[in-house]
Amino acid sequence: MNIYQNILLAKKEGKKLLAVLIDPEKIDLDNIASFFEKVHLSIATHIFVGGSTDINNLTENVVAAIKKETQLPVVLFPGDVKQITQKADGILFLSLLSGRNPEYLIEQQIKSVPFLKDSNLEIISTGYILIDGQKETATQKVSNTKPIAQENTELILNTALAGELSGKKLIYLEAGSGATVPVDANITAVVNANLSIPLIVGGGIRTKKQLENAFNAGADLVVIGTAFENDEAFFNQLKK
Ligand code: 1GP
């Protein structure tokens, strides 16, 4: 079964999903086998690979190394078109709906077509919504867009619904990597209550409690990167 069908099925069955986000600029490939031993003992279900930048074009090698270590689906979460590699299983085909920068609304997507049109990657159209995590994040800087304030629930909701109505398969509420404050559970709850498609939440989630809060509020899939980068022992708290 493909990646998206599995996410839909999990949503239907109320099974929660966890993606470990690997930033190619930060992972230590010498330590990758031991990293994945911990991943496999945890409740992680997906591996996302990406970062706001990949100046040294590391993504392809990192994805190849990851594929040797795991059977979990490896999904690109690219900051730009240069991070596309055919070695992954799928790609979040992102459009930054919270911003008003055409480069990240449609231009990068057009530039990616030559790499995607004959590709075996599963392409999953995703509405990406940047929400203020009380820290200027790399996504904000690189995309040159402003996040939506957490208080502006109505705008967040309407942006998510505009994504669904325009055919996105997933909505991703993003506080930004390393955010001081994750997306508030009330925002996740309101969006989840009104959305039919699966909901991803990420950014600034560092504790088991915050992960549970996101799941309980209605996130179908949570993405965690920084907390695992900082302390691999966090996997021990998330055992199967
Ligand atoms: C960032 O949502 C992801 O794009 C994960 O964020 O690195 O803060 O876990 P963290």
Side-chain angles (χ1 to χ4, degrees):
M1 203 190 298
N2 69 26
I3 298 163
Y4 186 64
Q5 289 302 322
N6 264 317
I7 295 173
L8 281 179
L9 183 65
K11 180 176 177 62
K12 194 169 151 207
E13 293 178 344
K15 180 174 177 277
K16 299 298 182 178
L17 305 171
L18 173 65
V20 176
L21 175 62
I22 294 178
D23 184 336
E25 290 186 331
K26 293 185 184 152
I27 190 164
D28 173 10
L29 287 185
D30 293 336
N31 179 44
I32 193 167
S34 119
F35 183 86
F36 272 92
E37 272 172 31
K38 297 183 186 99
V39 170
H40 293 145
L41 294 173
S42 80
I43 58 171
T45 53
H46 293 74
I47 305 299
F48 284 5
V49 181
S52 295
T53 56
D54 179 10
I55 291 160
N56 297 314
N57 299 318
L58 302 168
T59 303
E60 182 150 287
N61 279 345
V62 168
V63 170
I66 291 170
K67 287 294 293 175
K68 283 191 192 144
E69 298 294 333
T70 189
Q71 303 288 323
L72 295 175
V74 178
V75 181
L76 300 174
F77 174 46
D80 63 42
V81 62
K82 292 201 317 264
Q83 295 178 36
I84 296 175
T85 161
Q86 307 302 321
K87 297 195 187 302
D89 300 307
I91 177 170
L92 297 184
F93 196 59
L94 300 164
S95 184
L96 183 59
L97 301 181
S98 52
R100 296 296 175 269
N101 182 350
E103 185 67 31
Y104 293 93
L105 272 166
I106 189 63
E107 189 65 29
Q108 285 286 321
Q109 291 79 348
I110 293 170
K111 287 175 183 157
S112 72
V113 168
F115 305 100
L116 295 178
K117 69 177 170 30
D118 298 319
S119 153
N120 288 323
L121 289 169
E122 183 181 335
I123 301 166
I124 309 172
S125 173
T126 302
Y128 191 48
I129 302 177
L130 187 59
I131 295 171
D132 189 3
Q134 288 180 24
K135 181 183 163 191
E136 194 193 28
T137 56
T139 312
Q140 192 179 333
K141 274 186 236 162
V142 170
S143 69
N144 195 20
T145 67
K146 292 224 175 320
I148 304 179
Q150 300 241 5
E151 295 70 36
N152 205 342
T153 311
E154 191 181 352
L155 180 58
I156 295 168
L157 174 61
N158 288 345
T159 305
L161 293 181
E164 176 170 326
L165 291 172
S166 57
K168 304 293 180 218
K169 300 276 182 59
L170 297 170
I171 294 295
Y172 190 145
L173 302 181
E174 168 73 277
S177 190
T180 308
V181 180
V183 175
D184 190 88
N186 291 322
I187 295 171
T188 302
V190 168
V191 173
N192 176 57
N194 288 277
L195 199 70
S196 306
I197 55 176
L199 182 60
I200 301 180
V201 175
I205 295 176
R206 292 182 177 78
T207 66
K208 191 177 180 191
K209 182 82 192 125
Q210 288 173 327
L211 174 64
E212 286 168 356
N213 286 347
F215 282 149
N216 292 337
D220 299 297
L221 186 153
V222 168
V223 184
I224 299 180
T226 305
F228 295 131
E229 277 164 20
N230 290 347
D231 184 11
E232 288 177 19
F234 187 38
F235 284 116
N236 300 333
Q237 295 176 40
L238 305 177
K239 288 224 167 99
K240 277 181 202 156

mmCIF file of all heavy atoms in Angstrom, residues 131-176:
data_model
loop_
_atom_site.group_PDB
_atom_site.id
_atom_site.type_symbol
_atom_site.label_atom_id
_atom_site.label_comp_id
_atom_site.label_asym_id
_atom_site.label_seq_id
_atom_site.Cartn_x
_atom_site.Cartn_y
_atom_site.Cartn_z
ATOM 1 N N ILE A 131 3.285 28.762 11.343
ATOM 2 C CA ILE A 131 2.630 29.420 12.481
ATOM 3 C C ILE A 131 3.717 29.910 13.426
ATOM 4 O O ILE A 131 4.742 29.233 13.609
ATOM 5 C CB ILE A 131 1.681 28.399 13.161
ATOM 6 C CG1 ILE A 131 0.559 28.028 12.180
ATOM 7 C CG2 ILE A 131 1.109 28.952 14.466
ATOM 8 C CD1 ILE A 131 -0.314 26.896 12.628
ATOM 9 N N ASP A 132 3.492 31.058 14.030
ATOM 10 C CA ASP A 132 4.531 31.683 14.859
ATOM 11 C C ASP A 132 4.872 30.814 16.077
ATOM 12 O O ASP A 132 4.024 30.570 16.926
ATOM 13 C CB ASP A 132 4.033 33.058 15.316
ATOM 14 C CG ASP A 132 5.143 33.852 15.994
ATOM 15 O OD1 ASP A 132 6.286 33.358 16.043
ATOM 16 O OD2 ASP A 132 4.845 34.960 16.468
ATOM 17 N N GLY A 133 6.122 30.360 16.120
ATOM 18 C CA GLY A 133 6.585 29.551 17.248
ATOM 19 C C GLY A 133 7.456 30.347 18.205
ATOM 20 O O GLY A 133 8.254 29.785 18.947
ATOM 21 N N GLN A 134 7.313 31.679 18.138
ATOM 22 C CA GLN A 134 8.033 32.616 19.014
ATOM 23 C C GLN A 134 9.545 32.564 18.827
ATOM 24 O O GLN A 134 10.307 32.753 19.777
ATOM 25 C CB GLN A 134 7.646 32.410 20.474
ATOM 26 C CG GLN A 134 6.231 32.914 20.717
ATOM 27 C CD GLN A 134 5.777 32.731 22.139
ATOM 28 O OE1 GLN A 134 6.593 32.640 23.067
ATOM 29 N NE2 GLN A 134 4.480 32.664 22.333
ATOM 30 N N LYS A 135 9.951 32.280 17.612
ATOM 31 C CA LYS A 135 11.364 32.313 17.289
ATOM 32 C C LYS A 135 11.435 32.447 15.773
ATOM 33 O O LYS A 135 10.663 31.780 15.071
ATOM 34 C CB LYS A 135 11.999 30.981 17.718
ATOM 35 C CG LYS A 135 13.470 30.883 17.466
ATOM 36 C CD LYS A 135 13.993 29.524 17.857
ATOM 37 C CE LYS A 135 15.343 29.300 17.221
ATOM 38 N NZ LYS A 135 15.788 27.933 17.346
ATOM 39 N N GLU A 136 12.313 33.291 15.265
ATOM 40 C CA GLU A 136 12.415 33.395 13.813
ATOM 41 C C GLU A 136 13.087 32.123 13.296
ATOM 42 O O GLU A 136 14.234 31.839 13.632
ATOM 43 C CB GLU A 136 13.206 34.633 13.389
ATOM 44 C CG GLU A 136 12.995 34.905 11.917
ATOM 45 C CD GLU A 136 13.971 35.902 11.329
ATOM 46 O OE1 GLU A 136 15.099 36.026 11.825
ATOM 47 O OE2 GLU A 136 13.578 36.539 10.345
ATOM 48 N N THR A 137 12.344 31.322 12.544
ATOM 49 C CA THR A 137 12.874 30.021 12.138
ATOM 50 C C THR A 137 13.471 30.090 10.738
ATOM 51 O O THR A 137 13.251 31.051 9.995
ATOM 52 C CB THR A 137 11.762 28.958 12.157
ATOM 53 O OG1 THR A 137 10.711 29.417 11.319
ATOM 54 C CG2 THR A 137 11.258 28.714 13.551
ATOM 55 N N ALA A 138 14.215 29.040 10.406
ATOM 56 C CA ALA A 138 14.876 28.976 9.101
ATOM 57 C C ALA A 138 13.842 29.043 7.974
ATOM 58 O O ALA A 138 14.077 29.701 6.955
ATOM 59 C CB ALA A 138 15.688 27.693 9.016
ATOM 60 N N THR A 139 12.703 28.404 8.173
ATOM 61 C CA THR A 139 11.670 28.412 7.117
ATOM 62 C C THR A 139 11.250 29.848 6.803
ATOM 63 O O THR A 139 11.095 30.235 5.652
ATOM 64 C CB THR A 139 10.421 27.625 7.571
ATOM 65 O OG1 THR A 139 10.839 26.382 8.096
ATOM 66 C CG2 THR A 139 9.439 27.420 6.453
ATOM 67 N N GLN A 140 11.078 30.606 7.882
ATOM 68 C CA GLN A 140 10.669 32.002 7.739
ATOM 69 C C GLN A 140 11.732 32.804 6.982
ATOM 70 O O GLN A 140 11.422 33.552 6.053
ATOM 71 C CB GLN A 140 10.486 32.553 9.152
ATOM 72 C CG GLN A 140 9.796 33.880 9.232
ATOM 73 C CD GLN A 140 9.651 34.307 10.695
ATOM 74 O OE1 GLN A 140 9.603 33.472 11.595
ATOM 75 N NE2 GLN A 140 9.590 35.596 10.914
ATOM 76 N N LYS A 141 12.987 32.595 7.380
ATOM 77 C CA LYS A 141 14.082 33.354 6.760
ATOM 78 C C LYS A 141 14.239 32.973 5.296
ATOM 79 O O LYS A 141 14.298 33.835 4.431
ATOM 80 C CB LYS A 141 15.396 33.061 7.499
ATOM 81 C CG LYS A 141 15.586 33.970 8.703
ATOM 82 C CD LYS A 141 16.961 33.757 9.308
ATOM 83 C CE LYS A 141 16.808 33.401 10.774
ATOM 84 N NZ LYS A 141 17.924 32.789 11.407
ATOM 85 N N VAL A 142 14.305 31.665 5.052
ATOM 86 C CA VAL A 142 14.564 31.214 3.677
ATOM 87 C C VAL A 142 13.398 31.574 2.762
ATOM 88 O O VAL A 142 13.595 32.002 1.625
ATOM 89 C CB VAL A 142 14.846 29.686 3.652
ATOM 90 C CG1 VAL A 142 14.881 29.154 2.237
ATOM 91 C CG2 VAL A 142 16.154 29.388 4.360
ATOM 92 N N SER A 143 12.183 31.429 3.262
ATOM 93 C CA SER A 143 11.022 31.687 2.393
ATOM 94 C C SER A 143 10.669 33.169 2.346
ATOM 95 O O SER A 143 9.851 33.575 1.520
ATOM 96 C CB SER A 143 9.806 30.887 2.887
ATOM 97 O OG SER A 143 9.345 31.400 4.123
ATOM 98 N N ASN A 144 11.288 33.947 3.248
ATOM 99 C CA ASN A 144 10.991 35.380 3.312
ATOM 100 C C ASN A 144 9.487 35.624 3.439
ATOM 101 O O ASN A 144 8.897 36.437 2.714
ATOM 102 C CB ASN A 144 11.576 36.078 2.078
ATOM 103 C CG ASN A 144 11.626 37.584 2.253
ATOM 104 O OD1 ASN A 144 11.590 38.073 3.385
ATOM 105 N ND2 ASN A 144 11.682 38.307 1.153
ATOM 106 N N THR A 145 8.871 34.853 4.314
ATOM 107 C CA THR A 145 7.438 35.036 4.588
ATOM 108 C C THR A 145 7.236 35.145 6.089
ATOM 109 O O THR A 145 8.091 34.731 6.873
ATOM 110 C CB THR A 145 6.588 33.855 4.085
ATOM 111 O OG1 THR A 145 6.915 32.677 4.858
ATOM 112 C CG2 THR A 145 6.786 33.579 2.613
ATOM 113 N N LYS A 146 6.088 35.686 6.453
ATOM 114 C CA LYS A 146 5.759 35.813 7.872
ATOM 115 C C LYS A 146 4.868 34.651 8.300
ATOM 116 O O LYS A 146 3.964 34.258 7.565
ATOM 117 C CB LYS A 146 4.983 37.104 8.105
ATOM 118 C CG LYS A 146 5.787 38.369 7.886
ATOM 119 C CD LYS A 146 5.494 39.359 9.013
ATOM 120 C CE LYS A 146 6.365 40.606 8.931
ATOM 121 N NZ LYS A 146 7.745 40.390 8.551
ATOM 122 N N PRO A 147 5.120 34.103 9.490
ATOM 123 C CA PRO A 147 4.205 33.065 9.993
ATOM 124 C C PRO A 147 2.887 33.701 10.438
ATOM 125 O O PRO A 147 2.833 34.901 10.693
ATOM 126 C CB PRO A 147 4.959 32.501 11.199
ATOM 127 C CG PRO A 147 5.862 33.591 11.643
ATOM 128 C CD PRO A 147 6.184 34.432 10.444
ATOM 129 N N ILE A 148 1.860 32.893 10.549
ATOM 130 C CA ILE A 148 0.579 33.383 11.071
ATOM 131 C C ILE A 148 0.645 33.340 12.597
ATOM 132 O O ILE A 148 1.148 32.367 13.173
ATOM 133 C CB ILE A 148 -0.599 32.515 10.569
ATOM 134 C CG1 ILE A 148 -0.600 32.451 9.028
ATOM 135 C CG2 ILE A 148 -1.925 33.076 11.079
ATOM 136 C CD1 ILE A 148 -1.721 31.586 8.441
ATOM 137 N N ALA A 149 0.150 34.391 13.241
ATOM 138 C CA ALA A 149 0.144 34.429 14.708
ATOM 139 C C ALA A 149 -0.737 33.310 15.258
ATOM 140 O O ALA A 149 -1.777 32.985 14.676
ATOM 141 C CB ALA A 149 -0.380 35.781 15.189
ATOM 142 N N GLN A 150 -0.312 32.729 16.391
ATOM 143 C CA GLN A 150 -1.109 31.635 17.001
ATOM 144 C C GLN A 150 -2.513 32.109 17.383
ATOM 145 O O GLN A 150 -3.448 31.326 17.397
ATOM 146 C CB GLN A 150 -0.405 31.101 18.257
ATOM 147 C CG GLN A 150 0.977 30.536 18.003
ATOM 148 C CD GLN A 150 1.137 29.054 18.353
ATOM 149 O OE1 GLN A 150 0.189 28.371 18.718
ATOM 150 N NE2 GLN A 150 2.346 28.554 18.212
ATOM 151 N N GLU A 151 -2.628 33.413 17.688
ATOM 152 C CA GLU A 151 -3.937 33.954 18.088
ATOM 153 C C GLU A 151 -4.919 33.978 16.917
ATOM 154 O O GLU A 151 -6.131 34.045 17.121
ATOM 155 C CB GLU A 151 -3.796 35.395 18.611
ATOM 156 C CG GLU A 151 -3.000 35.550 19.897
ATOM 157 C CD GLU A 151 -1.500 35.275 19.718
ATOM 158 O OE1 GLU A 151 -0.946 35.627 18.652
ATOM 159 O OE2 GLU A 151 -0.903 34.662 20.622
ATOM 160 N N ASN A 152 -4.387 33.962 15.712
ATOM 161 C CA ASN A 152 -5.250 34.132 14.542
ATOM 162 C C ASN A 152 -5.776 32.785 14.050
ATOM 163 O O ASN A 152 -5.551 32.356 12.918
ATOM 164 C CB ASN A 152 -4.478 34.871 13.439
ATOM 165 C CG ASN A 152 -5.416 35.605 12.495
ATOM 166 O OD1 ASN A 152 -6.610 35.300 12.470
ATOM 167 N ND2 ASN A 152 -4.887 36.539 11.743
ATOM 168 N N THR A 153 -6.524 32.138 14.939
ATOM 169 C CA THR A 153 -7.019 30.784 14.637
ATOM 170 C C THR A 153 -7.877 30.765 13.383
ATOM 171 O O THR A 153 -7.828 29.821 12.599
ATOM 172 C CB THR A 153 -7.849 30.259 15.829
ATOM 173 O OG1 THR A 153 -7.097 30.457 17.003
ATOM 174 C CG2 THR A 153 -8.175 28.794 15.687
ATOM 175 N N GLU A 154 -8.658 31.842 13.208
ATOM 176 C CA GLU A 154 -9.568 31.856 12.062
ATOM 177 C C GLU A 154 -8.784 31.847 10.739
ATOM 178 O O GLU A 154 -9.135 31.116 9.806
ATOM 179 C CB GLU A 154 -10.472 33.093 12.142
ATOM 180 C CG GLU A 154 -11.601 33.027 11.141
ATOM 181 C CD GLU A 154 -12.492 34.260 11.196
ATOM 182 O OE1 GLU A 154 -12.329 35.094 12.105
ATOM 183 O OE2 GLU A 154 -13.341 34.372 10.298
ATOM 184 N N LEU A 155 -7.711 32.634 10.702
ATOM 185 C CA LEU A 155 -6.908 32.668 9.470
ATOM 186 C C LEU A 155 -6.204 31.328 9.247
ATOM 187 O O LEU A 155 -6.116 30.840 8.111
ATOM 188 C CB LEU A 155 -5.887 33.813 9.534
ATOM 189 C CG LEU A 155 -4.972 33.956 8.308
ATOM 190 C CD1 LEU A 155 -5.773 34.157 7.016
ATOM 191 C CD2 LEU A 155 -3.986 35.113 8.515
ATOM 192 N N ILE A 156 -5.720 30.736 10.332
ATOM 193 C CA ILE A 156 -5.067 29.416 10.207
ATOM 194 C C ILE A 156 -6.072 28.400 9.661
ATOM 195 O O ILE A 156 -5.790 27.647 8.729
ATOM 196 C CB ILE A 156 -4.492 28.961 11.564
ATOM 197 C CG1 ILE A 156 -3.369 29.904 12.004
ATOM 198 C CG2 ILE A 156 -3.993 27.515 11.488
ATOM 199 C CD1 ILE A 156 -2.917 29.738 13.452
ATOM 200 N N LEU A 157 -7.274 28.402 10.256
ATOM 201 C CA LEU A 157 -8.309 27.459 9.825
ATOM 202 C C LEU A 157 -8.686 27.690 8.368
ATOM 203 O O LEU A 157 -8.761 26.734 7.572
ATOM 204 C CB LEU A 157 -9.550 27.592 10.730
ATOM 205 C CG LEU A 157 -10.758 26.762 10.287
ATOM 206 C CD1 LEU A 157 -10.435 25.269 10.278
ATOM 207 C CD2 LEU A 157 -11.961 27.043 11.193
ATOM 208 N N ASN A 158 -8.916 28.953 8.007
ATOM 209 C CA ASN A 158 -9.338 29.229 6.637
ATOM 210 C C ASN A 158 -8.242 28.896 5.630
ATOM 211 O O ASN A 158 -8.523 28.458 4.513
ATOM 212 C CB ASN A 158 -9.792 30.689 6.498
ATOM 213 C CG ASN A 158 -11.128 30.912 7.204
ATOM 214 O OD1 ASN A 158 -11.826 29.967 7.539
ATOM 215 N ND2 ASN A 158 -11.470 32.160 7.450
ATOM 216 N N THR A 159 -6.991 29.073 6.058
ATOM 217 C CA THR A 159 -5.870 28.722 5.173
ATOM 218 C C THR A 159 -5.830 27.203 4.971
ATOM 219 O O THR A 159 -5.657 26.707 3.852
ATOM 220 C CB THR A 159 -4.537 29.229 5.771
ATOM 221 O OG1 THR A 159 -4.647 30.634 6.028
ATOM 222 C CG2 THR A 159 -3.373 28.974 4.834
ATOM 223 N N ALA A 160 -6.027 26.475 6.062
ATOM 224 C CA ALA A 160 -6.048 25.002 5.964
ATOM 225 C C ALA A 160 -7.201 24.538 5.075
ATOM 226 O O ALA A 160 -7.037 23.654 4.215
ATOM 227 C CB ALA A 160 -6.174 24.388 7.359
ATOM 228 N N LEU A 161 -8.356 25.138 5.260
ATOM 229 C CA LEU A 161 -9.519 24.720 4.461
ATOM 230 C C LEU A 161 -9.363 25.121 2.994
ATOM 231 O O LEU A 161 -9.795 24.384 2.101
ATOM 232 C CB LEU A 161 -10.808 25.294 5.053
ATOM 233 C CG LEU A 161 -11.176 24.724 6.431
ATOM 234 C CD1 LEU A 161 -12.475 25.334 6.945
ATOM 235 C CD2 LEU A 161 -11.282 23.205 6.404
ATOM 236 N N ALA A 162 -8.738 26.270 2.753
ATOM 237 C CA ALA A 162 -8.459 26.660 1.357
ATOM 238 C C ALA A 162 -7.542 25.614 0.720
ATOM 239 O O ALA A 162 -7.695 25.271 -0.458
ATOM 240 C CB ALA A 162 -7.821 28.043 1.303
ATOM 241 N N GLY A 163 -6.616 25.103 1.507
ATOM 242 C CA GLY A 163 -5.742 24.035 1.013
ATOM 243 C C GLY A 163 -6.541 22.798 0.653
ATOM 244 O O GLY A 163 -6.398 22.224 -0.429
ATOM 245 N N GLU A 164 -7.404 22.380 1.564
ATOM 246 C CA GLU A 164 -8.214 21.185 1.290
ATOM 247 C C GLU A 164 -9.099 21.400 0.057
ATOM 248 O O GLU A 164 -9.180 20.530 -0.820
ATOM 249 C CB GLU A 164 -9.081 20.831 2.509
ATOM 250 C CG GLU A 164 -10.003 19.652 2.227
ATOM 251 C CD GLU A 164 -10.703 19.101 3.457
ATOM 252 O OE1 GLU A 164 -10.114 19.118 4.540
ATOM 253 O OE2 GLU A 164 -11.848 18.653 3.310
ATOM 254 N N LEU A 165 -9.746 22.551 -0.002
ATOM 255 C CA LEU A 165 -10.660 22.821 -1.118
ATOM 256 C C LEU A 165 -9.921 22.912 -2.450
ATOM 257 O O LEU A 165 -10.499 22.657 -3.497
ATOM 258 C CB LEU A 165 -11.440 24.122 -0.864
ATOM 259 C CG LEU A 165 -12.461 24.051 0.277
ATOM 260 C CD1 LEU A 165 -13.027 25.438 0.573
ATOM 261 C CD2 LEU A 165 -13.586 23.078 -0.054
ATOM 262 N N SER A 166 -8.646 23.290 -2.395
ATOM 263 C CA SER A 166 -7.908 23.360 -3.661
ATOM 264 C C SER A 166 -7.199 22.040 -3.976
ATOM 265 O O SER A 166 -6.419 21.958 -4.917
ATOM 266 C CB SER A 166 -6.937 24.539 -3.672
ATOM 267 O OG SER A 166 -6.052 24.460 -2.593
ATOM 268 N N GLY A 167 -7.483 21.019 -3.200
ATOM 269 C CA GLY A 167 -7.049 19.671 -3.586
ATOM 270 C C GLY A 167 -5.827 19.117 -2.885
ATOM 271 O O GLY A 167 -5.322 18.064 -3.255
ATOM 272 N N LYS A 168 -5.328 19.837 -1.860
ATOM 273 C CA LYS A 168 -4.192 19.279 -1.114
ATOM 274 C C LYS A 168 -4.635 17.984 -0.432
ATOM 275 O O LYS A 168 -5.783 17.850 0.011
ATOM 276 C CB LYS A 168 -3.687 20.258 -0.048
ATOM 277 C CG LYS A 168 -3.306 21.629 -0.587
ATOM 278 C CD LYS A 168 -2.098 21.572 -1.484
ATOM 279 C CE LYS A 168 -1.750 22.956 -1.987
ATOM 280 N NZ LYS A 168 -1.284 22.942 -3.385
ATOM 281 N N LYS A 169 -3.664 17.053 -0.300
ATOM 282 C CA LYS A 169 -3.972 15.755 0.317
ATOM 283 C C LYS A 169 -3.686 15.757 1.812
ATOM 284 O O LYS A 169 -4.175 14.913 2.559
ATOM 285 C CB LYS A 169 -3.135 14.658 -0.339
ATOM 286 C CG LYS A 169 -3.379 14.512 -1.838
ATOM 287 C CD LYS A 169 -4.579 13.637 -2.060
ATOM 288 C CE LYS A 169 -4.894 13.381 -3.510
ATOM 289 N NZ LYS A 169 -3.831 12.741 -4.250
ATOM 290 N N LEU A 170 -2.800 16.678 2.216
ATOM 291 C CA LEU A 170 -2.412 16.798 3.622
ATOM 292 C C LEU A 170 -2.333 18.280 3.980
ATOM 293 O O LEU A 170 -2.006 19.100 3.118
ATOM 294 C CB LEU A 170 -1.016 16.208 3.870
ATOM 295 C CG LEU A 170 -0.759 14.731 3.637
ATOM 296 C CD1 LEU A 170 0.748 14.457 3.721
ATOM 297 C CD2 LEU A 170 -1.480 13.891 4.689
ATOM 298 N N ILE A 171 -2.557 18.587 5.240
ATOM 299 C CA ILE A 171 -2.258 19.928 5.755
ATOM 300 C C ILE A 171 -1.211 19.765 6.849
ATOM 301 O O ILE A 171 -1.321 18.874 7.708
ATOM 302 C CB ILE A 171 -3.520 20.619 6.317
ATOM 303 C CG1 ILE A 171 -4.529 20.908 5.206
ATOM 304 C CG2 ILE A 171 -3.146 21.907 7.071
ATOM 305 C CD1 ILE A 171 -4.100 21.901 4.134
ATOM 306 N N TYR A 172 -0.186 20.631 6.795
ATOM 307 C CA TYR A 172 0.926 20.564 7.747
ATOM 308 C C TYR A 172 0.977 21.882 8.515
ATOM 309 O O TYR A 172 1.259 22.930 7.926
ATOM 310 C CB TYR A 172 2.213 20.346 6.949
ATOM 311 C CG TYR A 172 3.485 20.022 7.708
ATOM 312 C CD1 TYR A 172 4.417 19.144 7.161
ATOM 313 C CD2 TYR A 172 3.784 20.598 8.944
ATOM 314 C CE1 TYR A 172 5.605 18.844 7.818
ATOM 315 C CE2 TYR A 172 4.966 20.295 9.604
ATOM 316 C CZ TYR A 172 5.870 19.430 9.039
ATOM 317 O OH TYR A 172 7.053 19.145 9.682
ATOM 318 N N LEU A 173 0.671 21.822 9.804
ATOM 319 C CA LEU A 173 0.784 23.005 10.676
ATOM 320 C C LEU A 173 2.190 23.007 11.262
ATOM 321 O O LEU A 173 2.550 22.101 12.016
ATOM 322 C CB LEU A 173 -0.259 22.954 11.801
ATOM 323 C CG LEU A 173 -1.728 22.882 11.387
ATOM 324 C CD1 LEU A 173 -2.620 22.867 12.640
ATOM 325 C CD2 LEU A 173 -2.121 24.046 10.484
ATOM 326 N N GLU A 174 2.958 24.019 10.933
ATOM 327 C CA GLU A 174 4.401 24.042 11.222
ATOM 328 C C GLU A 174 4.760 25.243 12.105
ATOM 329 O O GLU A 174 4.562 26.391 11.706
ATOM 330 C CB GLU A 174 5.145 24.139 9.885
ATOM 331 C CG GLU A 174 6.619 24.449 9.961
ATOM 332 C CD GLU A 174 7.437 23.279 10.457
ATOM 333 O OE1 GLU A 174 7.513 23.100 11.692
ATOM 334 O OE2 GLU A 174 7.980 22.549 9.608
ATOM 335 N N ALA A 175 5.281 24.981 13.290
ATOM 336 C CA ALA A 175 5.774 26.084 14.127
ATOM 337 C C ALA A 175 7.216 26.435 13.780
ATOM 338 O O ALA A 175 7.742 27.431 14.289
ATOM 339 C CB ALA A 175 5.654 25.721 15.602
ATOM 340 N N GLY A 176 7.844 25.630 12.929
ATOM 341 C CA GLY A 176 9.235 25.879 12.523
ATOM 342 C C GLY A 176 10.188 25.036 13.342
ATOM 343 O O GLY A 176 9.979 24.825 14.544
#
